[in-house]
Amino acid sequence: MSDPASDKERLDQLRQEIERHNQLYYQAAQPEIPDHVYDGLMQELIALETAHPEWGTADSPSRKLGEQPLAGFETVTHAVPMMSLANTYNKDELVAFDARVRKGIPDTPFRYVLEPKIDGVAVTVRYEQGTLVLAATRGDGRQGDDITRNLRTLDSLPKQLTGAPAPKVLEVRGEVFMPKAGFVTLNQRREELGLSVFANPRNAAAGSLKQLDARVVAERPLEVLFYAAGALDGVLFETHEQMLEAFKSWGLPTHSHYWVGETIDEVLLALDELEQQRHEFPYELDGGVIKVNERAVYETLGYTAKSPRWAVAYKYAPERAETRLRSITIQVGRTGILTPVAELEPVTVAGSTISRATLHNEDEIRRKDIRVGDRVWVEKAGEVIPAVVGVNKEARTGDEQPFAMPDQCPECGHAVTRREGEVALRCENLHCPAQLKQWLRHFASRGAMDIEGLGDVLVDQLVARELVRQPADVYRLTLDDLAGLDRMGGKSAQNVLNSIAASKSRDLWRIIFALGIRHVGARSAQALEARFASIDELVTADQETLEAIDDIGPVVAGSILAFFADARNRSVVDALRAAGVNLTRRADAAPAEGPLSGQTLVLTGALQHMTRDEATARIRALGGQVTSSVSKKTDYVVAGEKAGSKYDKAVKLGVPIIDEAALEELLRAHE
Ligand code: IVH
């Protein structure tokens, strides 16, 4: 028997607790508990409210969406309210959903559509006569935030509809999300900068859209897909499927896969198929959405306070495991950041064994109230990064120990500091062996200078014996230096020396990447190589020049400037040069893949509107090659002012000659 007094107490407690989690989830994009725990609280609340209808209130979190307007954005009222969906983790409830639908529209033939469900941020985008005029978040369903400026930065969002004539008004609704790969890279960058990391791709997308500076949003790898409509004028869609196809024909991104079925059994089969494919999607799926295909019956089926009765979301049980947190260790990174790491009793999650997971920083540990000895839930954030998502507090025995970060670097004993605006603690000792070790590991790694044999064990010894104090020292190592070390026979020592020597003539982008400039990953390094012929050009480049490069935004540009402004870093470059490491773009450097792949151009004479370097960089960025001599294989000779012998040779060989304006046109057509 339930006790009404304690039921009422629990109900109030649940409402308060859910409101608090709404605030953390929607406003701060920093949830404390995983989704399924939240869904459990909500279900408990709904069960209590159903048992005691007299306690129901219109403002209960079970009846309204949790999102409040954000400061700094204009509020917009939705022409048609934006609803959410009823969620379930249980297939039997889908069968019950089907029964309700059939009862609601007896004798009406209809079909279902099943779509993947992405966990992101719901948005609405309004087009008038085919032109984007407004983008907004869902907010409380009635009013949301105007995020037009932010959404405009998304490449996948058309600013103008294409194809068939567009209706007078078309409001499309969908999800903004962050693909898994982009999420992983973004978090890596943030961690290196000492910033807080996002718990999962959804938080990363939500946190990004809340930015007041659209330039920051532009640097976040966000995408959008549309799956519903709001206000419509001048267009009628009979079925959901027809609507999706119309979206596609206007150039709007939609799901590449969806299934249509007559019966709930067909839908359940399709749902299994979707689940099997779920990890192959470039973004994280959290379930499937089942909708009645025939839009004509929507009004008849109607709506609850929060969601339509003609659709339901099925959510996957999270791939999660519970295990014990044995201890928390501290790792010192390349930039001196101290990262607490959870040492776990090994456990299998989504097919792999996890025994360590980053806890990011002290704030995270406190926020989740993680204690040594706790039973914790482990997931893979973005399906890749092992993460502790919460604590099973009910399993506490009282023996769990709160954790405090050390005030000294565990590697060198130097005092640690917290820079303003950062969450991370840092060892600021530039000679901290831990930082040097991480730098060397990165420098030698396959993605950077690719020095085979220079692995962790060797790096540790080289640093401990002070044989290497900075990367360039690697090039001074002798057979004698190496032969005396553990696990280093004469032959393997010679092999290591050979691969060190071979790394002197790597591509320019590899050394740029190996320098370990914050924010400069392999891809940015390649973009820099396409623009600059040598490290020296990069060292002297200004912010404007850097920002003009595709893939390089203000943050990355600022980080490059700061790196080379530091005399110590410039001396690292000088030392590499003195050691004989290639610091220029190699003539045979592989060009990017692009519309000009396989084409060779020769530039001759003076160009008026761009420098030769710029022209070269732009051609290379499109996959073309620029060579210095004309042959029968040359595709075009670009003749500027006072073109000389190369021009004559082109005429003789019958190679097409174009002027600067034609080159500009060719580049523009593909850029
Ligand atoms: S339809 C009125 N379709 O999941 C119906 N929603 O948990 C509006 N979502 O609120 C929603 N994928 O933000 C719909 N294919 C899909 C979806 C989808 C993801 C989101 C949406 C919704 C939430 C419910």
Side-chain angles (χ1 to χ4, degrees):
M1 266 308 287
S2 69
D3 161 15
S6 67
D7 274 4
K8 180 71 172 66
E9 204 173 296
R10 177 68 185 149
L11 181 124
D12 290 338
Q13 195 185 25
L14 280 168
R15 283 183 183 157
Q16 254 181 35
E17 192 64 6
I18 291 172
E19 293 284 9
R20 194 172 73 82
H21 289 301
N22 279 346
Q23 155 74 26
L24 286 165
Y25 185 89
Y26 289 110
Q27 259 60 37
Q30 293 248 323
E32 264 176 25
I33 52 169
D35 277 12
H36 84 290
V37 178
Y38 176 90
D39 291 339
L41 294 175
M42 186 63 95
Q43 267 165 18
E44 195 185 338
L45 174 65
I46 292 172
L48 279 175
E49 286 177 342
T50 315
H52 300 279
E54 69 278 15
W55 294 337
T57 58
D59 68 347
S60 165
S62 64
R63 296 179 55 84
K64 61 174 204 214
L65 287 167
E67 208 168 331
Q68 301 300 315
L70 284 175
F73 291 91
E74 295 284 321
T75 300
V76 287
T77 302
H78 301 305
V80 173
M82 283 182 81
M83 307 201 88
S84 180
L85 289 176
N87 279 335
T88 177
Y89 290 90
N90 180 336
K91 289 199 173 142
D92 290 342
E93 287 193 23
L94 298 180
V95 176
F97 162 78
D98 175 57
R100 283 195 304 276
V101 169
R102 290 186 193 279
K103 206 170 146 205
I105 44 169
D107 310 322
T108 315
F110 70 92
R111 292 186 300 168
Y112 286 117
V113 180
L114 168 72
E115 288 169 350
K117 173 162 153 51
I118 312 181
D119 203 10
V121 180
V123 295
T124 181
V125 181
R126 184 177 171 98
Y127 291 88
E128 289 177 5
Q129 317 283 12
T131 304
L132 187 162
V133 294
L134 179 73
T137 60
R138 178 164 56 202
D140 65 4
R142 202 176 57 81
Q143 291 188 319
D145 295 313
D146 179 343
I147 52 161
T148 315
R149 276 167 51 78
N150 284 351
L151 267 215
R152 274 184 177 282
T153 66
L154 269 63
D155 287 341
S156 57
L157 179 73
K159 318 301 176 273
Q160 192 75 45
L161 299 180
T162 53
K168 194 165 164 216
V169 175
L170 173 70
E171 255 181 42
V172 287
R173 287 170 177 184
E175 206 82 357
V176 171
F177 60 94
M178 194 172 284
K180 293 182 270 193
F183 164 73
V184 171
T185 321
L186 176 68
N187 262 1
Q188 270 167 1
R189 282 185 171 189
R190 291 182 64 85
E191 192 124 25
E192 276 186 27
L193 272 186
L195 300 174
S196 61
V197 292
F198 293 109
N200 53 47
R202 194 217 88 96
N203 288 331
S208 300
L209 287 184
K210 289 183 200 312
Q211 296 296 318
L212 291 174
D213 184 347
R215 286 174 305 179
V216 177
V217 186
E219 292 200 351
R220 300 279 169 87
L222 295 172
E223 289 184 24
V224 63
L225 284 181
F226 295 104
Y227 48 65
L232 298 173
D233 186 352
V235 65
L236 186 85
F237 307 115
E238 281 177 7
T239 64
H240 183 72
E241 191 180 7
Q242 207 182 60
M243 182 179 82
L244 293 180
E245 294 305 321
F247 284 6
K248 247 183 246 175
S249 75
W250 284 315
L252 290 161
T254 57
H255 278 295
S256 49
H257 302 52
Y258 62 86
W259 289 258
V260 181
E262 300 259 337
T263 63
I264 196 69
D265 286 338
E266 280 174 36
V267 174
L268 292 175
L269 276 179
L271 204 52
D272 287 341
E273 206 175 299
L274 176 63
E275 184 150 13
Q276 270 159 25
Q277 299 169 4
R278 83 182 258 212
H279 297 299
E280 286 155 35
F281 284 77
Y283 37 83
E284 206 171 19
L285 291 194
D286 68 336
V289 178
I290 298 145
K291 298 172 179 171
V292 171
N293 193 26
E294 281 67 24
R295 291 171 54 88
V297 302
Y298 286 3
E299 288 313 310
T300 316
L301 286 170
Y303 301 83
T304 70
K306 281 212 278 198
S307 47
R309 294 189 205 273
W310 42 264
V312 66
Y314 172 77
K315 284 174 78 168
Y316 300 131
E319 293 186 273
R320 148 165 341 124
E322 192 179 306
T323 188
R324 206 177 76 89
L325 174 63
R326 287 179 172 160
S327 61
I328 297 177
T329 54
I330 302 290
Q331 196 173 301
V332 184
R334 178 156 52 95
T335 53
I337 289 177
L338 271 60
T339 308
V341 178
E343 305 289 345
L344 304 160
E345 252 160 40
V347 66
T348 307
V349 182
S352 58
T353 306
I354 292 182
S355 53
R356 306 185 87 204
T358 167
L359 293 172
H360 305 301
N361 53 59
E362 194 166 18
D363 285 6
E364 281 282 312
I365 298 178
R366 249 192 244 134
R367 214 162 50 75
K368 294 186 184 138
D369 187 19
I370 297 172
R371 302 183 190 174
V372 175
D374 264 336
R375 305 280 314 167
V376 294
W377 292 306
V378 181
E379 272 184 22
K380 285 197 203 159
E383 293 175 12
V384 187
I385 312 167
V388 173
V389 295
V391 174
N392 182 354
K393 293 191 183 150
E394 286 172 11
R396 280 203 173 142
T397 60
D399 292 338
E400 296 76 15
Q401 293 301 316
F403 176 79
M405 290 290 279
D407 45 20
Q408 288 183 334
C409 170
E411 296 276 346
C412 71
H414 195 279
V416 297
T417 52
R418 192 167 182 156
R419 291 187 192 167
E420 203 173 311
E422 293 190 0
V423 291
L425 291 177
R426 282 175 192 268
C427 165
E428 301 275 3
N429 173 12
L430 281 166
H431 303 289
C432 173
Q435 292 181 44
L436 178 57
K437 283 184 208 165
Q438 295 285 1
W439 190 7
L440 287 175
R441 278 182 197 131
H442 167 72
F443 187 87
S445 66
R446 199 178 301 167
M449 295 302 270
D450 194 12
I451 306 179
E452 210 177 314
L454 188 49
D456 290 1
V457 178
L458 184 52
V459 163
D460 287 352
Q461 297 183 74
L462 293 173
V463 173
R465 300 195 182 199
E466 301 191 2
L467 286 165
V468 172
R469 291 195 175 86
Q470 61 146 310
D473 293 344
V474 163
Y475 295 97
R476 282 204 214 99
L477 291 170
T478 63
L479 206 52
D480 272 356
D481 290 335
L482 293 182
L485 304 175
D486 296 347
R487 294 205 226 164
M488 263 298 146
K491 191 149 174 252
S492 39
Q494 189 54 51
N495 285 344
V496 173
L497 287 184
N498 292 347
S499 43
I500 291 175
S503 76
K504 286 186 186 175
S505 45
R506 297 268 184 258
D507 284 329
L508 175 61
W509 70 263
R510 285 184 174 272
I511 189 77
I512 297 175
F513 177 45
L515 285 175
I517 307 169
R518 272 186 216 163
H519 288 321
V520 177
R523 214 178 97 178
S524 322
Q526 284 167 1
L528 292 167
E529 186 197 80
R531 176 65 184 78
F532 302 110
S534 69
I535 271 270
D536 296 328
E537 287 185 20
L538 174 62
V539 172
T540 52
D542 61 15
Q543 179 99 13
E544 201 185 339
T545 313
L546 289 168
E547 278 188 45
I549 303 170
D550 255 0
D551 284 340
I552 308 287
V555 177
V556 182
S559 164
I560 295 170
L561 286 182
F563 184 87
F564 290 117
D566 188 331
R568 285 169 305 203
N569 290 330
R570 290 199 307 273
S571 81
V572 166
V573 173
D574 292 339
L576 287 166
R577 190 192 323 272
V581 175
N582 170 54
L583 300 177
T584 56
R585 189 197 294 139
R586 288 157 36 125
D588 61 349
E593 275 296 308
L596 297 186
S597 287
Q599 304 229 29
T600 305
L601 286 82
V602 173
L603 305 174
T604 176
L607 302 176
Q608 301 304 302
H609 300 288
M610 53 184 138
T611 65
R612 267 195 195 207
D613 276 346
E614 270 163 22
T616 306
R618 288 173 66 189
I619 294 166
R620 287 175 53 89
L622 295 172
Q625 248 182 312
V626 178
T627 58
S628 52
S629 59
V630 183
S631 75
K632 270 194 288 190
K633 288 193 191 142
T634 308
D635 291 284
Y636 297 102
V637 166
V638 182
E641 298 275 87
K642 301 211 179 85
S645 61
K646 288 179 194 167
Y647 182 94
D648 300 339
K649 190 156 179 200
V651 175
K652 210 163 103 196
L653 293 175
V655 172
I657 299 171
I658 59 174
D659 61 10
E660 188 179 349
L663 173 66
E664 183 64 52
E665 213 174 283
L666 175 77
L667 295 173
R668 287 242 177 109
H670 297 296
E671 281 173 350

